[in-house]
Amino acid sequence: MRLNCYGYLYSIRGFAEQSRNFFYSLSKYIDVRMVSLIYNDQEVMPPHIFELEKKGSFEIDFNDPALCIAYGNDMQKFCGSHRIGFVVFENTRLPQDWIWQLKQLHQVWAPSRWAANVLLENGIPEAKVRIVPLGVDPHFFNSQGPHYSDFDNGRFKFLMVGKFEKRKSQMEVLEAYCTEFRPDDPVQLVLLCHNIKRLSLNDRATLNKYLEKPHPDIVIMNPFNDHEAVAPLYRSSNVLIAPSKAEGWGLPIIEAMACGVPVITTNYSGQSEYLRHDNPLIIDVNEYEDIYDETFYPEKGKFGVWAKLEVGELRKKMRWSFEHQEELKKIGSEDSLWIQQNWTWDSAAVKAVELLKKI
């Protein structure tokens, strides 16, 4: 079987990581021709991905079925005999141009039951919707690899990875951390946020408010050029803190779990598909609020709702993790085994191939 695969291959965004890994895993089972929807001369493509992309440029056949991992309003950019759109999103109300284009596809894939329900609620016909999970690369993200030597300072480390934005809840994390712990406590909050230098004036002012007064240790790191280089950072941390208001899938969450690092996160949206729900670090979501972010979602309520995060509940989870470090290690080991056995890119590809064979 041959499949044309389209995606944002030349990018550092999560979409690119998902597309490259998913398409490469598919290529182990079927004949894949890969095409990038965007190009970036500054992005170095891994050799095995570059070969597949080069093959796609010269051997693509528009009479073959096609799969596109992209924003819903970019589905007009690919063609094939059977068109499948794979969408990842965090909002509950989809834009009209997404809905218009998704309805014209033969199938629409979503990575979680939560996302599939959102598609149905936005009018995508049930007969078109399929659930295909995303995954993680166990070769890089596992509990046995090297650690980040610069972090060997004896402090309990809370790590936060991801774009600095309201959806990721960095401000709530800063408030919870600086309120729950004293400046002399043996703790450290590490922020790895690739857009830290491009914050809005309001976000910069709020961040400075915490940094300018006495506070427990906070480290702001520059982003890594190589995505896999973050794996030693996960393994050097005691817990990943990711209390997102919404996630399409949550790559840092599943990567940290694969590395044996427990995660404080919300039991809502994309990550609810693979979380172990008996985990005491999971934050139950009971209330929702209109989506609003002055940079990314400036029209309040236009894109639906996301989880409302209570800082008090976040403080409890952070304190519990600090005071139950032996239990934390057990949770990390169980999480790693769960992800390695069930949620790799290869297991996602097997699920996808099963659906493709039914076309």
Side-chain angles (χ1 to χ4, degrees):
M1 180 180 188
R2 297 188 305 190
L3 181 71
N4 302 330
C5 294
Y6 298 77
Y8 309 122
L9 305 180
Y10 288 84
S11 172
I12 61 173
R13 293 180 295 182
F15 254 130
E17 286 295 328
Q18 293 163 4
S19 299
R20 292 193 293 245
N21 284 292
F22 189 63
F23 294 160
Y24 178 68
S25 292
L26 276 175
S27 73
K28 299 176 184 178
Y29 302 95
I30 58 177
D31 188 0
V32 165
R33 286 89 192 282
M34 195 181 300
V35 179
S36 185
L37 297 176
I38 59 173
Y39 289 89
N40 180 358
D41 293 337
Q42 304 302 315
E43 179 73 7
V44 178
M45 186 68 67
H48 60 289
I49 302 296
F50 178 76
E51 288 302 317
L52 283 176
E53 200 265 340
K54 184 171 67 174
K55 177 181 177 182
S57 299
F58 292 98
E59 300 181 19
I60 194 166
D61 187 334
F62 295 158
N63 295 307
D64 291 330
L67 170 66
C68 180
I69 301 180
Y71 295 116
N73 57 356
D74 269 348
M75 293 300 162
Q76 84 276 12
K77 296 181 179 180
F78 80 110
C79 57
S81 61
H82 190 96
R83 299 172 68 232
I84 304 168
F86 198 153
V87 285
V88 183
F89 49 85
E90 304 92 15
N91 42 306
T92 58
R93 186 176 299 154
L94 302 181
Q96 285 302 311
D97 55 350
W98 280 49
I99 296 171
W100 174 251
Q101 293 188 32
L102 293 176
K103 283 183 174 180
Q104 297 181 64
L105 302 176
H106 294 89
Q107 289 184 16
V108 181
W109 289 3
S112 67
R113 284 164 289 183
W114 172 83
N117 287 333
V118 171
L119 289 172
L120 298 178
E121 291 168 0
N122 279 267
I124 307 303
E126 185 175 2
K128 294 178 181 284
V129 177
R130 305 287 188 276
I131 299 173
V132 178
L134 296 171
V136 69
D137 187 342
H139 177 72
F140 294 106
F141 299 99
N142 58 70
S143 60
Q144 304 303 316
H147 287 63
Y148 194 72
S149 58
D150 290 355
F151 273 17
D152 189 17
N153 58 16
R155 293 179 179 271
F156 184 92
K157 293 172 184 62
F158 296 97
L159 173 65
M160 198 167 193
V161 176
K163 184 167 60 176
F164 204 108
E165 58 176 319
K166 285 183 171 58
R167 180 173 64 85
K168 298 288 189 179
S169 304
Q170 281 95 346
M171 294 307 180
E172 289 90 341
V173 168
L174 283 165
E175 180 182 349
Y177 177 72
C178 292
T179 305
E180 185 64 29
F181 298 101
R182 300 188 304 270
D184 58 346
D185 281 338
V187 294
Q188 187 174 64
L189 174 63
V190 180
L191 299 176
L192 179 64
C193 306
H194 69 262
N195 63 329
I196 197 76
K197 294 182 179 179
R198 300 194 300 274
L199 296 182
S200 68
L201 292 177
N202 286 340
D203 284 346
R204 172 61 66 181
T206 305
L207 177 60
N208 289 340
K209 179 183 74 173
Y210 291 107
L211 298 179
E212 290 170 355
K213 64 183 181 181
H215 58 266
D217 194 20
I218 298 174
V219 175
I220 298 177
M221 296 189 66
N222 293 321
F224 297 118
N225 292 326
D226 182 2
H227 177 73
E228 285 76 18
V230 76
L233 188 61
Y234 288 134
R235 287 188 286 264
S236 302
S237 304
N238 296 93
V239 63
L240 179 79
I241 183 162
S244 302
K245 297 176 177 66
E247 288 285 355
W249 180 249
L251 275 180
I253 297 171
I254 197 171
E255 289 169 352
M257 291 174 68
C259 289
V261 179
V263 182
I264 297 174
T265 190
T266 48
N267 184 20
Y268 174 72
S269 63
Q271 69 268 31
S272 63
E273 190 72 13
Y274 55 82
L275 291 177
R276 295 190 308 114
H277 299 288
D278 58 346
N279 186 337
L281 298 178
I282 301 302
I283 300 172
D284 290 326
V285 174
N286 300 309
E287 294 185 62
Y288 304 89
E289 60 186 4
D290 287 341
I291 292 174
Y292 173 72
D293 183 311
E294 62 185 16
T295 302
F296 301 103
Y297 295 105
E299 298 180 67
K300 187 174 183 179
K302 180 179 179 180
F303 295 95
V305 298
W306 56 23
K308 183 177 181 179
L309 181 65
E310 296 294 338
V311 172
E313 189 65 19
L314 181 55
R315 288 178 60 181
K316 291 178 184 177
K317 301 298 183 183
M318 296 176 77
R319 173 59 64 179
W320 188 94
S321 63
F322 177 66
E323 294 181 348
H324 296 81
Q325 296 185 31
E326 288 304 314
E327 293 175 60
L328 209 60
K329 293 177 183 177
K330 182 174 182 292
I331 292 170
S333 296
E334 292 173 349
D335 279 351
S336 180
L337 184 62
W338 166 247
I339 296 300
Q340 301 285 342
Q341 290 181 343
N342 299 281
W343 302 97
T344 65
W345 288 115
D346 280 357
S347 61
V350 169
K351 172 68 174 179
V353 170
E354 290 175 357
L355 292 176
L356 291 168
K357 288 180 177 179
K358 296 177 182 179
I359 294 176

